[in-house]
Amino acid sequence: KKARKKARRETNWQEGFRRPPARQSPAEFFAEHQAIAGFDNPGKSLFTTIRELVENSLDACESLHHLPRPEDVGGAPMTKNWELPRVSVRIEEMNAVMFNKLRGVDGIDAATGSGIVDKGLFNRSYTAATAAADAAAVAQIAVEAAAAAEGQVSSAIPPTVDTEAADAKSLENKSKDGKSKRKSSGAADGGTAKKKGRKSHGSTDGYYRVTCRDNGIGMEHDDVPELLGRVLSGSKYGVRQTRGKFGLGAKMALIWSKKSTGEPIRVRTARSARRETTAERAAASQHGPRPPAGRAVRTIAPYSTDCVLDIDVGANEPRILRHDSIPNDEAWTGTELSVVVSGNWTTYKARTMQYIQQLAIVTPYAELELVYKNLSDSKRDVTARFDRRSEQMPPAAKEVKHHPSSVNLLLIQQLLDRSKSTSFLNFLCKDLSSISPSLARRLIIELGEGFEEGADLSTIKDKMINRLVQVLRSVDLFRAPDGRCLSPLGEYNLNLGIHKVIEPDLVATARDRTGAYEGHPFVVEAGVSLGGRDAKEGISVVRFANRIPLLFEGGADVVTRVAQNKIKWSLYKIDHKRDRVGVFVSIVSTKIPFKGTGKEYIGDDITEIQTSVKRALQACCQQLRGRIMKRNAARDVRQRRGKLVKYVPNVSRSLHSMLFTMRSRSEAEYIANGGAGATWRVVEGVGERIDVTGLQKIRGEMIEGVVSNKISVKSFEDSLLRLVEEQGGASAHDGSGGGGASSSPAITQPVFISPVTKDMMEGSSLPNIICHPLFLFRPLRLFVDKSDKC
């Protein structure tokens, strides 16, 4: 017997050793490892579904906007008013009963999905004794019902046997027994037993129909199954900036729908592009460079596509349930995609609203709308709408060739296999970027034996490819990567987006120059705001990668670390602990260096990106510093004005009191205090001499004004307030122009002081007087230098 067992084990081992290796399709891999694509749990899965559908819609809208109109290429003009991107997302939450009705399985229990024939399957504590008690309760209800029917019982009892009521009564008795047991056990334990919290109804998982509608370019009728039903198939591959992270998009939402609800995906689309005709291409070439052959132009599709499809996960192929072409009588363009998934809105509601809000910042040219409907409780409905703020869209990203510094062994092998070049020299110049013919010849000489200008590409094999890659990644003479493959948002749009959503008190934006790391170009745009709606104290960091918001794992991101550790905020008059500072950074590149499988943050180990982020933030802070100093100067002027106005009443009363005192003094006393028989006064900026008689006249006019009440406390107050306003306005103007605060009054006209010479003093006992509205300048003595001239 032991020998037979041993032989059986050896046979099983040999058969297992000879068993061919199992294979997985891409759809199977992502269905099994869905957390890689952001489908970690039901709440995150619902959020990722919304995110993928919205980003696909934005890509489609931007693709349509960048296509030329028919009239631009010499065709007939169209009456359709082409709109900028408009994306609408509708989320409908269904309970289990509604979902079962949708699936066509009515009449079963919503929680268990069965008819509940055997209750013991779903309740471990449901024993034979419990079943007997339930039967007795049902019998008792039947007896009471019969007695009520005969009129022997005065209380009204339903005449039918209600098994549900009996079950409820039985459960109530059990709950009472359980409560008494828990209460007694709690008392025995000294009252330490606590009632455990239960999940609220709003935190349970539910079923959601997510519908996303846009006015984008749409999909071709024959391409719909392939684009939505096959994993790792799409139109975003190439060396250019794209929004996608994984190349999955709606396909992963379809896989999650198949796993969680079994519902297919429904698509309605109308393609808004067609191939340019020969006549249009000839007409366009007369007004500029000859356009590429097969260019697409805008149009209105005569037919729209109505498609319902599923996915065969094992074969990674679409399974078409319906694929019809119907007349497009409404002249509608765009795509409407609907999918039913399982999820949890309550746990990820805040993240979803935050995503839409930040998306509105980075796409101010788009109109975004999110509508959440709870089909069982309308009080929980939510609607968020962000109107379009800008009419300017970023330029389209152009596809370019690979930069020599970004290649590797596998990429070079693929380029060699796909290349149409007939010689190695043409391969370097045409299949790679930033290599001129002269530089290519120098590279061929440096590569040495086996590499010739006219060498056939099929002769370049393993060791030669290794040598080629090492040389390409080491050469330092290549031009910088081509920035046409990038589509940054632009300072104008970023500024409008921040103003639109945050409504800050101050905001500054900056864009750093195009950089590159490992041959991949990138551009960093930044914005810094102070204050704003719902802003919190401290630094709030908002991150974007290829114009999509990054919401998770922000603590390890390069933007967060630079903002918190690399920027000296105090140098820019910003208190980063008490002020409400918003930091917005958008990084676009052909290859974003994400960290982790979730691709939610960018590491700070790329020195080029870290330096560029720091420069962009410092440029924003420098702009804010000037504005803050101007704001502080205006605040100082207001404070100074407030202090001056505060003392105007007291000064006015004192001046008026002095005039009354003058009235009581004698005429001779004033003349004695006036000087040596003469004094000066300023008339229209010019100093003139007056004698004692004139002084007496002026004094008499002032006293007469006091007596006649023309000169009163009120007149002094009005004059002083007028002077304060004039000087305060001048000070504020001077402070704003100089960029800093000033505590001294501003001088609104220049003062020229000329030297006083002996010639000017001849025949005059007093020097010339320089008059100004704020002062009177009178030299007291001459200054004689060594030349004895002045």
Side-chain angles (χ1 to χ4, degrees):
K1 186 176 181 180
K2 291 182 179 180
R4 286 197 301 270
K5 287 184 178 181
K6 184 176 180 182
R8 192 181 301 115
R9 285 197 300 268
E10 291 179 354
T11 302
N12 293 338
W13 179 83
Q14 291 176 0
E15 290 179 354
F17 184 77
R18 291 193 300 266
R19 187 179 304 162
R23 296 180 180 179
Q24 269 190 331
S25 69
E28 283 181 312
F29 175 81
F30 283 105
E32 184 177 348
H33 304 90
Q34 60 188 24
I36 297 178
F39 290 77
D40 303 15
N41 51 67
K44 183 74 176 295
S45 300
L46 175 62
F47 167 78
T48 307
T49 299
I50 298 170
R51 175 177 186 163
E52 294 288 356
L53 298 184
V54 170
E55 290 171 6
N56 282 355
S57 295
L58 286 174
D59 283 334
C61 294
E62 293 176 3
S63 299
L64 175 62
H65 182 80
H66 291 133
L67 290 182
R69 297 179 176 87
E71 55 266 29
D72 297 336
V73 295
M78 302 181 64
T79 58
K80 179 177 177 59
N81 183 21
W82 300 98
E83 294 181 316
L84 288 170
R86 186 180 68 255
V87 179
S88 175
V89 183
R90 185 180 179 88
I91 308 165
E92 297 175 337
E93 181 175 355
M94 301 175 287
N95 54 28
V97 176
M98 297 176 182
F99 175 72
N100 289 335
K101 186 176 180 179
L102 175 69
R103 295 287 291 168
V105 286
D106 297 347
I108 64 175
D109 184 73
T112 62
S114 72
I116 311 186
V117 177
D118 186 358
K119 296 183 179 179
L121 290 174
F122 311 104
N123 188 354
R124 182 175 296 180
S125 61
Y126 193 86
T127 60
T130 307
D134 291 345
V138 171
Q140 179 65 25
I141 293 176
V143 172
E144 293 176 357
E150 297 175 0
Q152 298 177 0
V153 181
S154 58
S155 60
I157 302 177
T160 57
V161 178
D162 191 352
T163 57
E164 293 183 359
D167 293 343
K169 187 174 181 180
S170 175
L171 292 174
E172 183 179 358
N173 293 334
K174 287 193 297 181
S175 64
K176 288 182 179 179
D177 296 342
K179 287 181 180 178
S180 60
K181 290 179 181 180
R182 287 194 298 269
K183 186 174 181 181
S184 60
S185 63
D189 294 340
T192 57
K194 295 184 179 180
K195 184 177 180 180
K196 294 184 179 180
R198 295 189 305 171
K199 259 187 178 179
S200 63
H201 177 72
S203 62
T204 56
D205 298 342
Y207 301 96
Y208 302 85
R209 179 187 287 111
V210 181
T211 305
C212 185
R213 182 185 177 97
D214 62 69
N215 61 343
I217 194 172
M219 293 177 282
E220 293 284 357
H221 176 79
D222 297 333
D223 295 341
V224 173
E226 188 73 15
L227 290 174
L228 297 178
R230 189 185 299 275
V231 176
L232 300 182
S233 65
S235 58
K236 296 183 179 180
Y237 300 108
V239 186
R240 62 187 178 97
Q241 172 191 332
T242 58
R243 275 194 176 91
K245 288 184 178 181
F246 306 97
L248 298 176
K251 295 178 281 293
M252 193 63 208
L254 177 57
I255 292 176
W256 172 245
S257 174
K258 187 175 181 65
K259 291 183 64 175
S260 60
T261 65
E263 278 288 292
I265 192 170
R266 290 170 169 82
V267 184
R268 177 175 174 244
T269 181
R271 180 70 172 179
S272 304
R274 61 171 174 82
R275 293 291 182 182
E276 182 183 17
T277 63
T278 305
E280 290 174 343
R281 186 164 179 259
S285 61
Q286 295 177 359
H287 303 284
R290 188 175 183 84
R295 185 175 60 167
V297 296
R298 302 186 194 183
T299 187
I300 298 177
Y303 295 93
S304 63
T305 300
D306 188 10
C307 183
V308 179
L309 59 90
D310 201 349
I311 183 172
D312 185 348
V313 175
N316 189 28
E317 293 179 350
R319 188 161 59 91
I320 302 174
L321 305 180
R322 185 173 73 244
H323 193 196
D324 300 331
S325 180
I326 57 180
N328 187 17
D329 299 331
E330 303 175 359
W332 174 70
T333 60
T335 301
E336 183 179 76
L337 193 149
S338 180
V339 62
V340 179
V341 297
S342 174
N344 194 319
W345 167 260
T346 304
T347 55
Y348 273 80
K349 173 185 175 181
R351 289 291 192 182
T352 305
M353 301 303 293
Q354 182 185 12
Y355 170 77
I356 295 296
Q357 182 188 51
Q358 294 186 10
L359 193 64
I361 295 176
V362 79
T363 55
Y365 50 85
E367 179 183 316
L368 304 176
E369 183 182 29
L370 184 142
V371 179
Y372 166 77
K373 293 288 184 181
N374 191 302
L375 301 182
S376 59
D377 185 5
S378 60
K379 295 181 180 179
R380 298 174 58 192
D381 294 351
V382 177
T383 300
R385 180 185 177 89
F386 294 92
D387 294 329
R388 185 179 296 111
R389 183 67 181 268
S390 172
E391 299 292 330
Q392 177 181 341
M393 283 187 60
K398 307 294 184 181
E399 187 172 352
V400 298
K401 303 295 183 181
H402 291 275
H403 193 269
S405 301
S406 65
V407 299
N408 53 52
L409 296 175
L410 177 61
L411 180 59
I412 286 293
Q413 183 64 63
Q414 293 175 345
L415 292 178
L416 289 171
D417 295 339
R418 300 171 185 171
S419 178
K420 297 180 180 179
S421 301
T422 56
S423 65
F424 183 60
L425 178 65
N426 290 337
F427 169 79
L428 292 178
C429 297
K430 295 182 179 181
D431 291 85
L432 296 174
S433 65
S434 304
I435 299 182
S436 61
S438 59
L439 182 57
R441 293 186 179 91
R442 295 176 62 182
L443 288 173
I444 293 174
I445 296 174
E446 181 66 27
L447 288 170
E449 184 180 357
F451 293 93
E452 298 178 358
E453 295 184 10
D456 189 76
L457 300 184
S458 59
T459 61
I460 302 177
K461 298 299 181 182
D462 300 335
K463 295 182 179 180
M464 299 177 65
I465 292 177
N466 196 353
R467 170 65 176 160
L468 175 60
V469 170
Q470 290 180 357
V471 172
L472 291 178
R473 295 178 66 92
S474 302
V475 172
D476 197 28
L477 296 180
F478 298 127
R479 297 190 303 270
D482 193 349
R484 294 179 302 168
C485 57
L486 303 179
S487 177
L489 178 62
E491 290 187 52
Y492 173 77
N493 280 336
L494 181 59
N495 197 308
L496 286 181
I498 297 173
H499 272 293
K500 167 186 172 182
V501 179
I502 307 299
E503 298 179 4
D505 302 329
L506 293 175
V507 63
T509 55
R511 172 180 171 180
D512 196 41
R513 60 180 179 269
T514 303
Y517 77 96
E518 298 179 357
H520 304 287
F522 69 89
V523 172
V524 175
E525 296 172 309
V528 178
S529 66
L530 293 178
R533 183 179 58 187
D534 301 331
K536 299 179 181 179
E537 291 186 356
I539 300 176
S540 300
V541 179
V542 179
R543 304 165 293 131
F544 305 99
N546 281 351
R547 305 214 309 267
I548 60 174
L550 303 178
L551 304 183
F552 304 95
E553 303 181 33
D557 192 87
V558 60
V559 177
T560 304
R561 294 195 173 183
V562 169
Q564 293 181 350
N565 303 325
K566 303 293 184 180
I567 303 297
K568 296 182 180 180
W569 298 97
S570 59
L571 296 179
Y572 307 101
K573 311 297 181 183
I574 299 175
D575 187 351
H576 66 284
K577 294 184 178 180
R578 300 181 59 183
D579 292 341
R580 296 175 296 168
V581 183
V583 175
F584 306 85
V585 175
S586 172
I587 302 175
V588 296
S589 176
T590 56
K591 182 181 178 181
I592 298 291
F594 288 114
K595 297 295 182 181
T597 57
K599 296 188 176 183
E600 292 293 347
Y601 73 98
I602 303 172
D604 61 346
D605 54 341
I606 307 296
T607 306
E608 294 85 354
I609 294 181
Q610 184 186 60
T611 305
S612 184
V613 170
K614 183 179 179 180
R615 282 199 303 262
L617 289 179
Q618 286 176 337
C620 295
C621 293
Q622 189 65 33
Q623 297 178 39
L624 287 179
R625 181 177 182 273
R627 301 181 189 178
I628 292 173
M629 294 183 67
K630 293 177 183 180
R631 186 180 62 179
N632 293 343
R635 181 192 59 195
D636 293 343
V637 169
R638 290 193 299 269
Q639 293 178 353
R640 183 167 60 252
R641 178 187 176 279
K643 293 178 181 179
L644 292 175
V645 170
K646 177 181 178 182
Y647 293 106
V648 163
N650 294 335
V651 174
S652 300
R653 286 193 295 269
S654 299
L655 292 175
H656 194 262
S657 176
M658 288 175 58
L659 291 180
F660 272 101
T661 304
M662 291 171 57
R663 184 181 178 185
S664 62
R665 293 183 179 178
S666 63
E667 195 78 20
E669 182 180 359
Y670 275 98
I671 296 174
N673 294 335
T679 186
W680 294 81
R681 70 173 179 179
V682 179
V683 179
E684 296 181 356
V686 180
E688 63 180 16
R689 187 193 302 271
I690 59 174
D691 53 11
V692 175
T693 305
L695 181 61
Q696 290 176 352
K697 184 178 179 180
I698 294 174
R699 174 182 174 277
E701 292 175 354
M702 294 178 63
I703 294 177
E704 182 181 354
V706 173
V707 173
S708 61
N709 205 23
K710 291 182 179 179
I711 300 179
S712 61
V713 176
K714 182 65 169 60
S715 64
F716 276 119
E717 289 183 358
D718 294 341
S719 300
L720 290 174
L721 287 176
R722 192 184 315 111
L723 181 62
V724 168
E725 292 294 338
E726 292 176 356
Q727 298 306 316
S731 299
H733 178 75
D734 180 71
S736 63
S742 175
S743 59
S744 59
I747 299 176
T748 58
Q749 70 180 66
V751 178
F752 301 97
I753 302 177
S754 59
V756 180
T757 63
K758 289 184 176 181
D759 298 335
M760 296 172 60
M761 294 297 296
E762 292 180 357
S764 176
S765 59
L766 291 175
N768 292 344
I769 297 176
I770 299 172
C771 302
H772 190 270
L774 299 181
F775 61 86
L776 191 69
F777 182 81
R778 177 169 54 191
L780 299 179
R781 64 184 179 85
L782 290 176
F783 175 75
V784 182
D785 60 3
K786 295 181 179 180
S787 62
D788 198 29
K789 292 182 180 179
C790 63

